[in-house]
């Protein structure tokens, strides 16, 4: 909300006039236009995926009755607050409306169902629209996920190329390309006649940021922004549902990162945990997809080490563990959101230093 300008607000009003009288489409367009200043196509893609999943474009305005007036009032109030520079209050209004929105939506369901019996719920799947990557990029993300989960530890050798090809059901050529990709971004190194081993952050060299990797890193930054903007509420929701074993598990994960000098992995590791343990199937799906995009941050670990941010990461790791020991979900969420914000800011600065254009980035 803080990024809105006079021009962007004018654009929102113009778009809303085209959909006057249809509350669902007005709300949909309002939030789509409001997100434009983020310069985050991934976030907008998620928005439209939700719209598609809910089939909002197919709803008739008549189904919502007097909720149309409420929707228009909400939008006008939001725009008025934004124009007045009161972004914080606008966020509060938005959150309140989002809490009440499902109730208003459900009121219209009987009119839309036409007496038909309920059917089995279809789970939400986030289809991230992008250029179809080569299979080796998907496999590389899978292997980085295993490395991140300590299935393959630093200094250890991966299974042979042939064994990996059989495990994933791909050709030897595809697996060789996958390992070459991991070598190029300094996640692994292949020793002739010996095998491919996992590199530590300190032993990693200068990664080769080819064009496909650059595109993935732009997506990585977009995923990081979505995580930074949402992780506070998601963390509270997840931690509030955990028992003591859940808290202790997360504490051990963070503690292991400290011991192994890998606190720079906190962003994706905590995101994976709070997403994977969320009571919400929707959050699980979204955070699963975000996590796999964040894995490409491995390509930047060399630069992170050189920027000497390890002390900052470790300091936050200790703060997070302290909050977990006190079972303080709010404190953990606040510290984690702050850490994610620092990751986002630092990563964008780093990409700019590496030659990325400002207009490419969030």
């Amino acid at each position: 909300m803080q990024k809105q300008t006079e021009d962007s607000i004018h654009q929102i009003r113009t778009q809303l006039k085209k959909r006057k009288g249809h509350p669902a489409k007005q709300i949909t367009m309002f939030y789509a236009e409001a997100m434009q200043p983020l310069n985050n196509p991934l976030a907008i893609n998620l928005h439209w995926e939700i719209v598609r999943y809910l089939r909002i474009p197919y709803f008739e305005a008549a189904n919502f009755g007097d909720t149309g007036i409420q929707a228009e009032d909400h939008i006008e109030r939001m725009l008025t607050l934004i124009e007045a520079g009161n972004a914080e209050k606008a966020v509060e209004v938005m959150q309140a409306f989002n809490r009440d929105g499902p109730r208003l939506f459900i009121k219209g369901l009987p009119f839309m169902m036409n007496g038909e019996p309920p059917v089995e719920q279809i789970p939400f799947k986030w289809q991230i629209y992008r250029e179809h990557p080569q299979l080796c990029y998907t496999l590389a993300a899978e292997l980085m996920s295993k490395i991140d989960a300590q299935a393959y530890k630093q200094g250890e050798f991966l299974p042979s190329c042939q064994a990996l090809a059989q495990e994933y059901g791909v050709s030897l050529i595809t697996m060789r390309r996958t390992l070459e990709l991991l070598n190029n971004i300094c996640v692994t190194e292949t020793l002739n006649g010996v095998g491919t081993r996992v590199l530590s952050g300190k032993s990693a060299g200068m990664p080769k940021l080819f064009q496909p990797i650059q595109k993935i890193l732009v997506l990585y930054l977009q995923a990081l922004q979505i995580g930074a903007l949402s992780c506070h509420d998601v963390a509270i929701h997840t931690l509030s549902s955990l028992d003591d074993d859940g808290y202790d598990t997360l504490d051990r994960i963070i503690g292991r990162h400290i011991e192994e000098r890998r606190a720079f992995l906190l962003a994706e590791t905590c995101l994976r945990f709070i997403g994977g343990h969320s009571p919400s199937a929707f959050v699980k799906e979204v955070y699963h997809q975000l996590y796999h995009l964040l894995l490409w941050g491995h390509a930047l670990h060399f630069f992170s080490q050189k920027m000497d941010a390890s002390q900052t990461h470790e300091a936050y790791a200790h703060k997070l563990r302290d909050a977990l020991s006190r079972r303080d979900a709010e404190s953990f969420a606040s510290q984690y959101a702050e850490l994610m914000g620092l990751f986002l800011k630092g990563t964008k600065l780093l990409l700019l230093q590496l030659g990325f254009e400002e207009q490419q980035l969030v």
Side-chain angles (χ1 to χ4, degrees), residues 60-189:
E60 295 295 334
N63 290 333
F64 292 87
D66 60 359
T67 60
I69 298 174
Q70 292 171 289
E72 290 182 5
D73 288 346
H74 165 67
I75 293 172
E76 185 56 42
R77 187 180 180 194
M78 289 279 291
L79 290 174
T80 300
L81 288 169
I82 294 170
E83 287 174 323
N86 197 344
E88 187 173 333
K89 181 63 177 178
V91 171
E92 291 179 9
V93 171
M94 176 189 69
Q95 291 173 336
F97 184 84
N98 288 342
R99 285 193 297 269
D100 295 337
R103 177 177 55 81
L104 299 175
F105 172 74
I106 290 171
K107 282 176 61 179
L109 285 179
F111 299 98
M112 290 180 273
M113 293 176 65
N114 296 321
E116 295 181 5
V119 296
E120 183 179 353
Q121 182 179 356
I122 300 173
F124 174 76
K125 295 293 292 182
W126 185 9
Q127 302 294 327
I128 299 177
Y129 301 123
R130 52 177 167 150
E131 294 180 15
H132 187 68
Q134 296 181 28
L135 180 56
C136 62
Y137 288 90
T138 302
L139 293 173
E142 289 291 332
L143 289 171
M144 285 191 289
S145 176
K146 289 191 173 183
I147 292 170
D148 196 39
Q150 298 286 286
Y152 305 127
K153 297 181 180 179
Q154 294 180 10
E156 291 184 352
F157 283 87
L158 300 179
S160 69
C161 184
Q162 184 173 2
L164 287 171
Q166 290 177 346
E167 179 182 349
Y168 288 98
V170 298
S171 68
L172 274 174
I173 293 177
T174 297
M175 187 51 66
R176 287 195 188 104
R177 288 175 179 169
T178 301
L179 296 179
E180 182 181 1
L181 173 59
L182 292 176
N183 290 341
N184 284 334
I185 61 176
C186 298
V187 173
T188 60
E189 68 171 346

Side-chain angles (χ1 to χ4, degrees), residues 197-228:
R197 68 177 180 181
V198 180
L199 292 174
S200 67
K202 290 184 178 180
S203 62
M206 173 75 77
K208 300 173 183 177
L209 302 181
F210 298 122
Q211 186 66 23
I213 299 297
Q214 291 182 26
K215 291 181 179 180
I216 290 176
L217 288 177
V218 170
L219 266 178
Y220 162 78
L221 187 66
Q222 294 170 10
L224 190 57
Q225 185 185 55
I226 295 174

Side-chain angles (χ1 to χ4, degrees), residues 269-312:
T269 301
C270 289
L271 183 138
R272 182 186 194 186
F273 184 91
I274 64 175
H277 289 77
S278 171
S280 165
F282 170 79
V283 170
K284 283 184 177 179
E285 167 64 14
V286 171
Y287 269 50
H288 172 75
Q289 297 288 355
L290 291 179
Y291 167 71
H292 278 276
L293 289 174
L294 291 184
L295 287 171
W296 290 98
H298 280 274
L300 300 176
H301 289 164
F302 168 84
F303 302 103
S304 297
Q305 296 288 324
K306 297 303 179 185
M307 292 174 70
D308 196 27
S310 58
Q311 290 185 347
T312 300

Side-chain angles (χ1 to χ4, degrees), residues 30-88:
F30 170 72
Y31 284 116
E33 291 293 333
M35 286 193 293
Q36 291 294 337
L38 291 176
N39 195 29
N40 189 332
L42 187 64
I44 295 174
N45 165 253
L46 175 58
H47 170 78
W48 288 116
E49 279 292 288
I50 295 170
V51 169
R52 183 181 64 84
Y53 174 72
L54 295 175
R55 301 181 67 81
I56 287 176
Y58 304 102
F59 295 162
E60 295 295 334
N63 290 333
F64 292 87
D66 60 359
T67 60
I69 298 174
Q70 292 171 289
E72 290 182 5
D73 288 346
H74 165 67
I75 293 172
E76 185 56 42
R77 187 180 180 194
M78 289 279 291
L79 290 174
T80 300
L81 288 169
I82 294 170
E83 287 174 323
N86 197 344
E88 187 173 333

Side-chain angles (χ1 to χ4, degrees), residues 11-21 25-31 33 75-76 79:
Q11 175 68 14
I12 291 173
R13 290 190 183 280
T14 300
Q15 291 296 327
L16 290 176
K17 286 180 181 178
K18 297 178 181 179
R19 291 157 180 82
K20 193 169 182 63
K25 290 184 179 179
Q26 279 193 310
I27 291 290
T28 296
M29 184 54 64
F30 170 72
Y31 284 116
E33 291 293 333
I75 293 172
E76 185 56 42
L79 290 174

Side-chain angles (χ1 to χ4, degrees), residues 38-39 217-218 221 347-348 351-352 356-362:
L38 291 176
N39 195 29
L217 288 177
V218 170
L221 187 66
T347 301
K348 180 177 179 179
L351 292 179
L352 289 172
F356 286 73
E357 298 293 334
E358 176 74 36
Q359 59 266 28
Q360 291 179 274
L361 308 178
V362 298

